[in-house]
Amino acid sequence: MPSEKITKEKIIKAVLECAFSDSVGSASLSDISKKLGIKKASLYNHYESRDAIIDDTINYCGECLSRLSLIPAEMEMTARKYNCDVVLKGLVHRWIKIFEKEPFIQIYSFIESQKYFSSKIHDIKTECGKRFLNQIEIALNSLENAGKISAVSGEYRTSRAESFYALLNSLVDLYICSRKNFIRQNPKSGKGELFSFIAENEPDFKKADRLIENFCLSLR
């Protein structure tokens, strides 16, 4: 019997771990209950069906993502203090470091793998995309106000924010994909030594930094 009380949040985290190891579709009630150390029937004390568990997992992921901020609170001060490449590298580094840790690496994997199959996840992605794009525009506008990049207006201002957002998404996706493969291929999974090893080893940002430097050249 489990030593701790089973809650809906623990069930959701078990779903995310099962989906991270294999896929959402292959995460059965038996897999989820095994991860929790309980009998499958015990899950029905909290949820009426597997679909209800998955639906709650989607809601949980959406709520977690809604609390994330891409830019620092003092964006204007940051833009005045540092050059464009330092600021934008910082945003990318920050984003990668957030999503390579638990539970966000599981959340990222869950959302990205299911975005083609769930209208609710599509809506979450769309809403998050709008919010993060707006934050990127704030960052670029702050750099513009600080005289670190050229002043633009109209469609070009939106276009350069969209370009950086596309670059950010690509860099994060490539990095998290490689991290996930490393974790899945390692016999140790979930919390413990493996995630501690990842946390203690800084990501290699050399390729990402070169791309960001080139992007900054286009902003001058």
Side-chain angles (χ1 to χ4, degrees):
M1 294 295 292
S3 57
E4 298 182 4
K5 181 180 178 181
I6 298 301
T7 63
K8 285 190 173 184
E9 184 173 359
K10 288 180 180 179
I11 293 172
I12 288 168
K13 288 183 176 180
V15 172
L16 290 173
E17 288 182 21
C18 290
F20 183 82
S21 300
D22 295 300
S23 68
V24 180
S26 63
S28 66
L29 291 178
S30 295
D31 295 327
I32 297 166
S33 60
K34 183 178 180 181
K35 181 72 67 174
L36 292 165
I38 62 175
K39 295 180 179 180
K40 183 171 71 173
S42 299
L43 293 173
Y44 290 105
N45 293 329
H46 302 275
Y47 291 101
E48 61 182 17
S49 66
R50 181 183 180 279
D51 287 345
I53 297 176
I54 298 301
D55 193 56
D56 225 12
T57 301
I58 293 172
N59 292 335
Y60 174 85
C61 291
E63 289 170 4
C64 288
L65 293 175
S66 71
R67 293 193 292 268
L68 292 181
S69 177
L70 176 60
I71 60 176
E74 300 296 332
M75 190 65 246
E76 289 286 343
M77 183 178 70
T78 301
R80 290 195 299 270
K81 186 175 181 180
Y82 301 104
N83 290 330
C84 174
D85 61 328
V86 175
V87 172
L88 297 189
K89 285 176 185 177
L91 297 186
V92 172
H93 295 187
R94 169 188 172 87
W95 217 224
I96 287 176
K97 287 180 178 180
I98 286 173
F99 279 110
E100 76 166 355
K101 293 180 173 63
E102 292 186 285
F104 287 103
I105 191 167
Q106 289 97 338
I107 289 173
Y108 183 90
S109 177
F110 181 88
I111 291 292
E112 290 301 309
S113 66
Q114 290 299 106
K115 64 185 179 184
Y116 300 105
F117 309 105
S118 167
S119 59
K120 183 178 285 188
I121 289 180
H122 175 268
D123 291 343
I124 289 171
K125 285 278 296 179
T126 300
E127 181 59 33
C128 286
K130 289 178 181 178
R131 186 159 50 84
F132 298 144
L133 182 59
N134 177 255
Q135 291 181 16
I136 290 171
E137 289 194 56
I138 291 172
L140 293 177
N141 290 344
S142 298
L143 288 166
E144 182 181 313
N145 294 336
K148 303 299 176 65
I149 61 176
S150 61
V152 296
S153 60
E155 293 183 4
Y156 188 72
R157 174 170 285 180
T158 300
S159 177
R160 68 182 184 181
E162 290 173 342
S163 295
F164 181 72
Y165 185 48
L167 175 61
L168 171 70
N169 280 332
S170 177
L171 291 172
V172 171
D173 190 65
L174 286 171
Y175 184 81
I176 297 303
C177 184
S178 66
R179 279 302 215 199
K180 177 176 178 178
N181 284 336
F182 172 78
I183 294 168
R184 290 180 69 249
Q185 291 169 10
N186 193 293
K188 297 176 181 178
S189 60
K191 297 179 180 178
E193 294 180 26
L194 180 59
F195 277 96
S196 296
F197 169 78
I198 289 174
E200 292 167 3
N201 288 267
E202 283 291 307
D204 184 358
F205 292 121
K206 291 179 183 177
K207 182 178 179 180
D209 287 351
R210 287 196 300 270
L211 291 172
I212 296 166
E213 288 166 5
N214 290 334
F215 178 78
C216 287
L217 291 175
S218 70
L219 302 178
R220 293 178 179 175

